[in-house]
Amino acid sequence: MRVRVTVAGMLEDYLPAGSDGAVTVETPPETTLLAVMQAAGIPDSAKPLISLNGTVVPRSQHAGRTVTDGDQVHFMPNLKGG
């Protein structure tokens, strides 16, 4: 199964050199968003915001929400403001 992963901002540093902010990740069926994040090389400590096919997924669902072939997952830095 193939999932397209894109990242924004400083999360791009975790992708392979020359990826220009996007990679395709091969995953087994029933792969969760957290597993996709790990496969892309993004550490758990980054705690990014995640969107699946253009819809933001609440953090409480990251460990249980699965992806399907052809899905697009976007990781955004978790920004804090004041």
Side-chain angles (χ1 to χ4, degrees), residues 10-42:
M10 65 184 182
L11 296 177
E12 196 169 330
D13 293 344
Y14 297 111
L15 298 184
S19 64
D20 292 329
V23 294
T24 298
V25 176
E26 294 281 340
T27 64
E30 303 299 315
T31 298
T32 66
L33 288 172
L34 282 182
V36 170
M37 183 175 81
Q38 292 166 347
I42 300 169

Side-chain angles (χ1 to χ4, degrees), residues 10-79:
M10 65 184 182
L11 296 177
E12 196 169 330
D13 293 344
Y14 297 111
L15 298 184
S19 64
D20 292 329
V23 294
T24 298
V25 176
E26 294 281 340
T27 64
E30 303 299 315
T31 298
T32 66
L33 288 172
L34 282 182
V36 170
M37 183 175 81
Q38 292 166 347
I42 300 169
D44 294 338
S45 61
K47 298 184 189 233
L49 300 173
I50 302 175
S51 71
L52 175 61
N53 299 320
T55 302
V56 174
V57 178
R59 188 172 311 281
S60 62
Q61 296 177 16
H62 292 180
R65 186 76 162 274
T66 58
V67 296
T68 59
D69 190 46
D71 277 349
Q72 295 190 19
V73 180
H74 184 69
F75 297 98
M76 299 157 277
N78 188 3
L79 303 176

